[in-house]
Amino acid sequence: MNKKTVKQVERRLLQKMMEDEKALKEMLAVETDGIPYGQLDGLMVKVEQLLGRIMISQNKLMLLQDMQ
């Protein structure tokens, strides 16, 4: 297995994860005091999407590491 390619893929996945984590932190920092949860569906969906993307990236990294 080409170690240089593996390192580049890992670096790319980690970069995407960091970007998604930053966006997730921003979403979770949104002030929601006084807003009924029924009106926060869009925010909840976006948070769940970001969590899913982070989870998928983690799974890809683990699979890549297992293949080495």
Side-chain angles (χ1 to χ4, degrees):
M1 188 175 285
N2 186 335
K3 291 185 185 244
K4 186 175 181 180
T5 302
V6 171
K7 287 294 179 192
Q8 289 292 52
V9 171
E10 285 179 349
R11 189 173 289 122
R12 184 175 175 163
L13 286 169
L14 289 170
Q15 181 65 35
K16 285 181 12 181
M17 284 175 62
M18 288 182 356
E19 291 169 6
D20 289 340
E21 185 178 332
K22 181 180 175 186
L24 180 60
K25 286 179 181 179
E26 289 174 5
M27 291 284 169
L28 293 174
V30 170
E31 187 60 50
T32 59
D33 285 341
I35 300 174
Y37 280 105
Q39 295 179 359
L40 297 175
D41 283 343
L43 178 64
M44 301 294 182
V45 168
K46 186 64 177 173
V47 166
E48 289 176 10
Q49 287 173 341
L50 288 168
L51 286 170
R53 287 173 33 179
I54 292 169
M55 180 187 67
I56 289 169
S57 293
Q58 286 176 331
N59 289 342
K60 288 178 182 179
L61 276 173
M62 289 189 314
L63 178 60
L64 189 60
Q65 290 171 353
D66 286 345
M67 292 176 65
Q68 291 181 0

